[in-house]
Amino acid sequence: MGKLRVIGIGPGSIENMSLRALKAIEDSDIIVGYNKYIDMIKVLTLDKELYSTGMKGEEARCKEALSLCKDKNVALISTGDAGIYGMAGLILELRTNEEVEIIPGITASSAAGSVVGAPLMHDNCNISLSDLMTPYEDIKKRVKLAAEGDFVISLYNPKSKGRPYYLRECINIIKEFREDSTPVAVVRHALREGQNYKLFTIQNFDPEVVDMMSIVIVGNSKSYYKEEQFITPRGYENKS
């Protein structure tokens, strides 16, 4: 009997993949994933069988991975962390008696945060603005409550052609609970080829620079810039 490993490959660059993930891919007979994700680790797949699908083929990939692992070792890959907007949850919902191991990876907010400084040093949350599986009214409610709770907020899937105004609307919701000087960072292709970023305040934030390859990080009430580094204090200096 084979084994299915659900692997978070991190941002997509080999050097930012965990050793555990790397070894699991090396030990697998078959790699299953979205075709663009497989391309990101192409150098690791040259002697492997491959099964790939396009966007929105998540359920088909998971079912195929579960079927294939009955006889062989299979790696089902996701960028970031497999348990954060990845395939881990769906696999566990669909599995019957297959042996499954979940291997974590660097999620996009952690990758983006490392590029611009230390914005996630205090309580923070991730919110996806994609409404493919979550009603937009629920998304806006979560954004409002996170902003009211003074969380640092990382916005995943912030903008697409089908929903060009969600990001602007959600930033306006957050503005109700933030000072104009609150830092906002936009990081594209964090920790992989093509990486770039822009730093704003919430007052001068420009959603036009954002696309689906971006992560948007909005600071809390204590966040600030120091020499173009985005910092959210943890509060160590206040300990008695």
Side-chain angles (χ1 to χ4, degrees), residues 42-218:
K42 190 174 182 179
V43 66
L44 304 177
T45 67
L46 299 179
D47 61 343
K48 312 292 184 184
E49 294 179 47
L50 303 177
Y51 176 85
S52 64
T53 66
M55 187 67 75
K56 300 182 181 179
E58 293 86 357
E59 188 169 351
R61 289 199 299 275
C62 287
K63 287 180 176 178
E64 186 67 15
L66 287 166
S67 175
L68 292 168
C69 78
K70 296 185 188 322
D71 302 308
K72 295 185 178 182
N73 290 327
V74 177
L76 174 62
I77 64 169
S78 302
T79 52
D81 184 294
I84 301 177
Y85 306 125
M87 295 290 97
L90 183 55
I91 280 291
L92 295 180
E93 290 181 69
L94 294 173
R95 71 177 291 216
T96 52
N97 62 347
E98 299 87 355
E99 184 179 359
V100 174
E101 178 183 2
I102 311 298
I103 299 178
I106 299 173
T107 192
S109 57
S110 296
S114 73
V115 172
V116 297
L120 309 180
M121 281 292 295
H122 216 304
D123 298 334
N124 63 89
C125 64
N126 301 326
I127 301 176
S128 171
L129 299 193
S130 171
D131 60 356
L132 289 176
M133 289 172 278
T134 305
Y136 184 45
E137 290 305 312
D138 289 352
I139 294 170
K140 288 193 291 184
K141 180 179 179 180
R142 292 169 187 176
V143 169
K144 179 179 183 297
L145 293 173
E148 187 175 7
D150 202 26
F151 285 84
V152 178
I153 304 172
S154 297
L155 298 173
Y156 283 56
N157 306 309
K159 189 177 178 184
S160 70
K161 291 180 180 178
R163 44 184 175 82
Y165 305 116
Y166 287 12
L167 177 59
R168 187 186 299 275
E169 291 173 356
C170 288
I171 291 293
N172 285 337
I173 291 171
I174 299 170
K175 275 184 177 180
E176 297 175 24
F177 304 93
R178 296 289 190 276
E179 299 292 334
D180 289 346
S181 60
T182 301
V184 180
V186 177
V187 185
R188 295 185 73 251
H189 295 294
L191 301 186
R192 63 182 181 230
E193 185 178 354
Q195 173 184 291
N196 61 82
Y197 68 91
K198 293 184 181 295
L199 302 177
F200 300 93
T201 65
I202 203 165
Q203 182 181 32
N204 68 11
F205 176 70
D206 180 9
E208 296 306 313
V209 306
V210 178
D211 61 16
M212 280 291 284
M213 297 295 104
S214 307
I215 288 289
V216 179
I217 302 178
V218 183

Side-chain angles (χ1 to χ4, degrees), residues 1-21:
M1 182 175 178
K3 182 175 184 177
L4 173 59
R5 295 181 176 93
V6 188
I7 303 172
I9 64 171
S13 52
I14 305 300
E15 62 268 27
N16 286 297
M17 188 184 301
S18 74
L19 292 175
R20 182 180 169 197

Side-chain angles (χ1 to χ4, degrees), residues 211-229:
D211 61 16
M212 280 291 284
M213 297 295 104
S214 307
I215 288 289
V216 179
I217 302 178
V218 183
N220 70 10
S221 61
K222 300 293 194 301
S223 301
Y224 67 99
Y225 288 126
K226 179 181 179 181
E227 298 174 358
E228 296 193 345
Q229 293 283 294

